[in-house]
Amino acid sequence: MLAWLRWLPWLPVWAEPEELWEAPRYVSFLPGHWLLLLRESRFDYCYWTNVFSVTEANLLEKGFSIKSLHEVSKCGPSIEHGCSFFDAEVIRKDPASASLFNSKAPDGYLGSLIGHYWVGQGSCSEFLDKDPFMQVPSPLRVLHPPGLWGRWLRRSLQEVGLEADSLSDRSLIDTALEAMPEICTDSVTDVWDSQWPDGTTPKSMLVIGCSTMAGEPTQPLIDKGAGGLFLDMDRRAIRVARAQSSAPNRLIMNITVAPHTVGSLLKEYKAFVEDLEVLQVDIDSFDGPMVQALLKLTQPKAVVVEIRDFVPFPFRYACLDSDTKSLPWGGANFAFWQHLLAQHGLYLVRMDHRDAVFARRKAPDRRKFLGIMACYLRQYLLKPNPLQMVGPHTLDQNTIFRQHWISSEPTTALS
């Protein structure tokens, strides 16, 4: 089976409300585990998410009720393991979903816990002789008129002042697909060996939103012993980080930071951020203004940010407040990061399904930029939510509106 599945026996189902974070209850439904697979043939690329089928025997054994399963919000310890429960009745409303789910749970099921996030795993050919998986078509295709992507790439080139008239739409698409692998990756962690090879590390790092300092996009640098200032507002996460990752060259702090306070913070802890070379910000709120403030005070060689892309390119979006009203409005989108960081000589070198690494480079030429945009299409714009793949294939209005913006001229979308 796929290498990732080697750690599946330790993947829990979190079956307690959020307020019980300090004492979560973990329950395994692994015997009914399989993968929901989305195949994007244009890019010969597959995404998958986890499915855990739940039977009446599971509930009796674990002491759960159907009601408690509807309260499940995570199928693992982090934000990437979010999931929701679907009753069997919901799944059976759609004949295609019912047929595929029945093939995976022929003895019957009460419903399934389905992951919120897709994971990329290379070429689809890696999946075709593997089991368990379920292949489904993308529901977004019906929203895209014929010939859209050639026109979209041409318009994107024009947005950044690059010449597009000498290539046909077909040539634009072919060039984009050819250059895409230079940017796209399953994990941005693979970029660091080229930036700091062998045993070398950056002189210092500043990570705002470091969590437990495990599973970070800069993890290879942390594992090699890079020092710096590591901050997070979560007291529990910082306790774990200190226990596992403390070192004389690191200051790991439980602290809340705002764009207007970072200047004083850098002065106070100057010893840990002198000659800052790597900046990482992931606070799911005013990430954009935070990075903007830090770039006025520092000159990092690399910047790592999270892409929150519910507003598509070329529209630039950044949350300006720490209070997101419990809605997914925090952070900043791809267009914002590309515009802001280019002003400081930082250009995209690697992007996965969540994070992006920008480094000091010359501005991308036409070929490189087309590869960047193809990667953006693959990792973000053409990925429906896994929950939209199950039951009646109805898309919510936000998804339809977002896809309409993609296919419309910017001036038309804004009007």
Side-chain angles (χ1 to χ4, degrees), residues 18-40:
E18 289 287 346
E19 58 266 23
L20 298 184
W21 167 268
E22 293 298 334
R25 184 177 180 187
Y26 293 96
V27 178
S28 174
F29 290 113
L30 286 174
H33 171 264
W34 45 283
L35 305 178
L36 175 65
L37 183 69
L38 171 65
R39 184 177 186 185
E40 175 47 68

Side-chain angles (χ1 to χ4, degrees), residues 45-46 61 77 159 179 194 264 269 321 333 336 352 358 382 396:
Y45 198 79
C46 283
E61 179 187 354
E159 287 285 339
S194 64
S264 58
Y269 302 107
D321 199 338
N333 73 348
F336 176 88
D352 61 26
F358 293 76
L382 297 184
D396 61 87

